[in-house]
Every structure is written in C-alpha cells, then in structure tokens.
C-alpha cells in the first residue's frame, strides 16, 4: 500500500514568458513539461506584444521570423495578473534586449502593481530564464533585471546555480538563470534552432529545483502552523 500523503496540496506553478522569435517559447515549453512530470499544477502563459507592427519592418527576415512565431504561439493562453496571484512558484522568461528585460514583459510586470501593493506576491518561489543573440550579449544583466523585480515582490529567488551537472554543459553555465544563445539572426523557417537539448534539460532542472524548494517551504509552513 502506498504511504504517499495524498492529502498534500499540489504545488502550483505559473510559467509566464514573452518570446519574439521562439527561443524563449521553446525553453518555456520544456519548463512546462518538467513541471507536469513533477506532478505540479501548471499554467503556461504568454505575454502578448503590445505593438501591432514589427519593431523593425526593414529587417525582413527578423520580421518574418517574428510573424512565424506569433502564429506558432497563438494557442498559448495570454498571461493575466491572476496567474501570478494563483501560483506558489513563478518562473518568468524573456529575451535579453540591450542587456535587459523586453518591454512587453516589463509592461505585464507593471500590471501586477495592485497585487504587489496588497502583499499578494510575497513568499512565492521565483526565478527567471532568458535567451540572447550572443553569449556575452547580456544574459546575466537580463536575468538580474528580471530578478530585481522579485526583490520588490518579496519573492524567494531560487537560481539554478551550479547545483547540477547539467549546468556545466558547454551551452549552459549561467548560474543566475538558464540561458540559451540564438545566434546573430532570426531566420524564418528555422525558429529556435540553436536552443540545445542541454538548454532544455537545464530549464527542466531549474523548474524541478523551484518546485522542490516550494514543496519544502509548504511543508515547513504547515508544520509551523500546527
Ligand atoms: C530589440 C532587440 C534587442 C536585442 N538586444 C540584444 C542584446 O542586447 N544582446 C543580445 O545578445 N541579443 C539581443 N537581441 C537578440 C535576442 O535577445 C535574441 O534573438 C533572443 O534569442 C530572442 O529570443 P526570442 O526568440 O524568444 O524572442 C535583441 C533583439 C531585439 C529584437
């Protein structure tokens, strides 16, 4: 007979991301898969564009890749602030843009102002992941700009560190948050082709680690309440 505690509530995770050309989307799907496998309740949510046209119509290949990605991710539900309120674990993802958070994701974060003002984000487990064009294109700076939000929200930041062998793989290695390198150009028909299997395994690991910490916190808090 199983001795598992079936009365224990399931950990809830919201994976909220913005992706212009598919790289962060691919990482987010791997995080979702890992969370489902770990038995969590999962909300995968995309942050939509808040401009209707391409940022750079003169970059025709980028614009085509951007349109291709928009079609590919259309079925993913869009994020709402309730997805943040609902979750025990919040994993944010977004591309590095000039070494910091992308504007659509920042806009979404600002919508959480009232929730934060009533203390609705405190004590949740949080972390972030990114993708940049270049290996030294500002991955750590982007993760730090995302994680800075978590300080304001009173989150418990759980970085991947180098706490597992997967973080030492050549295409990984950013202890601040899992990061992939997409290359110099977004090419239509070849979206996210440079996200490696090791990047996907790393974001899966980062997700499991957050869920483990959230589970330990919940057990500790429950024990303290007894
Ligand atoms: C406006 C803009 C700014 C960018 N700034 C940087 C940057 O500072 N460093 C870098 O390495 N890549 C930069 N990139 C490239 C993206 O970070 C990269 O293509 C990333 O993989 C995109 O992720 P996505 O496909 O999920 O949108 C920039 C892209 C755009 C559109």
């Amino acid at each position: 007979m199983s001795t598992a505690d079936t009365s224990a509530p399931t950990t809830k995770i919201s994976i909220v991301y913005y992706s212009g050309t598919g790289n962060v989307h691919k990482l987010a799907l791997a995080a979702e898969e890992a969370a489902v496998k770990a038995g969590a309740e999962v909300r995968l949510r995309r942050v939509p564009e808040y401009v209707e046209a391409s940022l750079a119509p003169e970059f025709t290949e980028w614009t085509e890749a951007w349109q291709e990605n928009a079609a590919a991710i259309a079925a993913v539900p869009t994020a709402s602030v309730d997805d943040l309120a609902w979750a025990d674990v919040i994993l944010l993802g977004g591309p590095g843009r000039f070494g910091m958070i992308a504007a659509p994701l920042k806009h979404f974060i600002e919508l959480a102002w009232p929730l934060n003002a009533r203390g609705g984000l405190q004590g949740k487990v949080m972390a972030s992941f990114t993708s940049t064009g270049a290996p030294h294109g500002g991955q750590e700076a982007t993760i730090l700009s995302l994680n800075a939000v978590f300080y304001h929200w009173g989150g418990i930041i759980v970085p991947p560190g180098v706490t597992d062998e997967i973080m030492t793989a050549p295409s990984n290695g950013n202890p601040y948050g899992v990061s992939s390198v997409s290359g110099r150009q977004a090419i239509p028909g070849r979206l996210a082709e440079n996200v490696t299997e090791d990047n996907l395994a790393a974001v899966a690991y980062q997700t499991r680690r957050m869920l483990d910490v959230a589970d330990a916190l919940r057990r500790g808090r429950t024990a303290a309440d007894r």
Side-chain angles (χ1 to χ4, degrees):
M1 201 166 78
S2 167
T3 53
D5 179 3
T6 50
S7 65
T10 314
T11 304
K12 297 184 217 144
I13 178 169
S14 283
I15 302 159
V16 176
Y17 70 98
Y18 165 75
S19 181
T21 47
N23 293 275
V24 170
H25 170 64
K26 193 165 175 183
L27 292 167
L29 290 180
E32 179 196 31
E33 189 185 339
V36 169
K37 269 196 197 143
E41 264 187 79
V42 189
R43 289 188 185 179
L44 179 75
R45 298 289 186 263
R46 75 183 161 86
V47 171
E49 296 286 348
Y50 69 169
V51 287
E52 283 180 13
S54 165
L55 286 177
E58 66 270 51
F59 296 155
T60 49
E61 287 215 312
W62 187 90
T63 298
E64 253 183 76
W66 174 75
Q67 286 163 339
E68 186 185 334
N69 179 56
I73 67 178
V76 179
T78 53
S80 77
V81 172
D82 176 65
D83 298 318
L84 303 178
W86 169 84
D88 307 304
V89 177
I90 295 171
L91 179 57
L92 291 187
R97 288 191 169 175
F98 306 122
M100 61 170 83
I101 197 167
L105 191 53
K106 180 67 164 49
H107 174 66
F108 172 74
I109 284 166
E110 291 183 12
L111 297 174
W113 177 24
L115 173 64
N116 183 51
R118 28 173 219 278
L121 288 157
Q122 292 172 16
K124 297 175 188 286
V125 168
M126 303 181 186
S128 57
F129 62 97
T130 192
S131 173
T132 60
H136 299 290
Q139 294 184 338
E140 286 92 334
T142 303
I143 294 285
L144 288 173
S145 76
L146 281 160
N147 288 7
V149 174
F150 302 148
Y151 291 111
H152 292 261
W153 287 354
I156 298 163
I157 301 174
V158 177
V162 191
T163 55
D164 188 273
E165 196 62 27
I166 191 63
M167 295 306 297
T168 66
S171 62
N172 290 322
N174 183 354
Y176 297 57
V178 168
S179 309
S180 75
V181 176
S182 55
R184 284 208 59 227
Q185 245 186 321
I187 301 175
R190 289 164 52 189
L191 287 185
E193 65 180 358
N194 292 330
V195 176
T196 68
E197 288 302 316
D198 283 339
N199 295 151
L200 299 175
V203 81
Y205 166 69
Q206 178 170 358
T207 306
R208 287 194 300 274
R209 179 167 153 82
M210 294 172 80
L211 290 169
D212 284 350
V213 171
D215 188 51
L217 277 170
R218 182 174 46 73
R219 285 170 199 276
R221 285 168 179 154
T222 308
D225 286 347
R226 274 194 200 122

